[in-house]
Amino acid sequence: DTEVTQTPKHLVMGMTNKKSLKCEQHMGHRAMYWYKQKAKKPPELMFVYSYEKLSINESVPSRFSPECPNSSLLNLHLHALQPEDSALYLCASSQDSSNQPQHFGDGTRLSIL
Amino acid sequence: GENVEQHPSTLSVQEGDSAVIKCTYSDSASNYFPWYKQELGKRPQLIIDIRSNVGEKKDQRIAVTLNKTAKHFSLHITETQPEDSAVYFCAASGWSNFGNEKLTFGTGTRLTIIP
């Protein structure tokens, strides 16, 4: 099993809503990542979890709140988002956070009304 | 932090010809350089990677070269096929402000293979 699974695939929410994005992998990887990708741009790192501990937060606004309940799961909790937060949110995992190949999920396409 | 530049931003190649995409990086401590292919509406997929102790790596029609002195690396695709059409991103693994390694991506190259 070499898949990273993300749900939902699409999400439309208002600026006052609270929602969560979910990511799951069963490859035994110990590093998991959240990226944001705008159209025609490269993925932009948001958060890194290594062995279930937050190791990198790239100065992401607090309206994005990551959570790693266990080594297979990664969540991104969303609250009071802005229209400019509309993007493709990609989850990735790697064996560990030290220069290992990262495997991406299909992403959640998020639209903020 | 790391800065990765990628050229060209768009590339059109006749089917069967070769395509070359070039990247430069700024952090001399970077030591891992993956390449990703992203088709429209799909996930980035790792197609090849190279580490700083190696100068070249090949996988069938795809090869990557690394020049550590000049801090640049290149992707070479030979005998291009229509299914090679996609956006290609290079990346370099450098140090974040948190003392961990992180990937910094280039700006992408849209490759179009003309049948």
Side-chain angles (χ1 to χ4, degrees):
Chain A
D1 184 358
T2 57
E3 279 198 5
V4 175
T5 305
Q6 288 188 245
T7 55
K9 292 191 186 308
H10 302 275
L11 180 61
V12 179
M13 57 187 286
M15 289 190 282
T16 57
N17 291 157
K18 284 185 183 182
K19 295 284 184 183
S20 297
L21 309 184
K22 296 186 183 302
C23 175
E24 191 168 1
Q25 56 87 16
H26 294 290
M27 295 179 276
H29 288 174
R30 302 313 300 268
M32 295 186 78
Y33 311 79
W34 281 115
Y35 286 88
K36 174 183 178 180
Q37 188 178 27
K38 299 283 262 185
K40 300 186 180 181
K41 297 288 186 185
E44 200 179 310
L45 184 65
M46 300 173 71
F47 302 104
V48 180
Y49 273 83
S50 179
Y51 291 85
E52 297 155 55
K53 287 188 172 20
L54 183 65
S55 60
I56 296 180
N57 175 343
E58 289 286 275
S59 303
V60 179
S62 60
R63 57 186 184 268
F64 295 91
S65 175
E67 179 196 18
C68 188
N70 60 55
S71 60
S72 301
L73 290 174
L74 186 66
N75 298 322
L76 186 63
H77 303 297
L78 314 173
H79 174 55
L81 295 195
Q82 304 297 308
E84 61 265 27
D85 297 323
S86 297
L88 180 68
Y89 288 84
L90 292 162
C91 174
S93 71
S94 62
Q95 193 168 359
D96 58 41
S97 59
S98 177
N99 291 341
Q100 296 297 317
Q102 292 184 24
H103 301 270
F104 284 84
D106 287 331
T108 294
R109 190 160 297 283
L110 178 65
S111 298
I112 308 300
L113 301 178
Chain B
E2 177 67 278
N3 182 46
V4 178
E5 294 191 1
Q6 183 171 348
H7 299 281
S9 56
T10 60
L11 180 60
S12 293
V13 170
Q14 208 70 37
E15 182 178 352
D17 287 350
S18 296
V20 180
I21 302 171
K22 298 183 179 183
C23 289
T24 59
Y25 61 99
S26 60
D27 185 354
S28 56
S30 288
N31 55 13
Y32 174 63
F33 306 91
W35 285 87
Y36 285 86
K37 174 184 180 183
Q38 189 173 26
E39 296 176 69
L40 190 63
K42 296 198 174 178
R43 69 178 77 182
Q45 278 193 296
L46 179 70
I47 55 171
I48 196 166
D49 57 10
I50 191 167
R51 298 183 187 278
S52 58
N53 58 347
V54 174
E56 183 175 359
K57 185 176 177 181
K58 270 187 180 179
D59 182 3
Q60 299 183 332
R61 298 187 296 109
I62 294 173
V64 57
T65 58
L66 172 65
N67 183 326
K68 279 196 311 181
T69 305
K71 290 191 280 189
H72 67 68
F73 56 114
S74 301
L75 178 72
H76 304 253
I77 306 174
T78 58
E79 300 171 21
T80 52
Q81 300 167 4
E83 53 265 36
D84 295 329
S85 295
V87 177
Y88 291 81
F89 292 102
C90 64
S93 182
W95 291 98
S96 74
N97 294 332
F98 298 85
N100 307 80
E101 288 158 332
K102 58 170 266 195
L103 276 186
T104 300
F105 285 82
T107 47
T109 296
R110 181 172 298 280
L111 175 63
T112 302
I113 307 302
I114 305 163

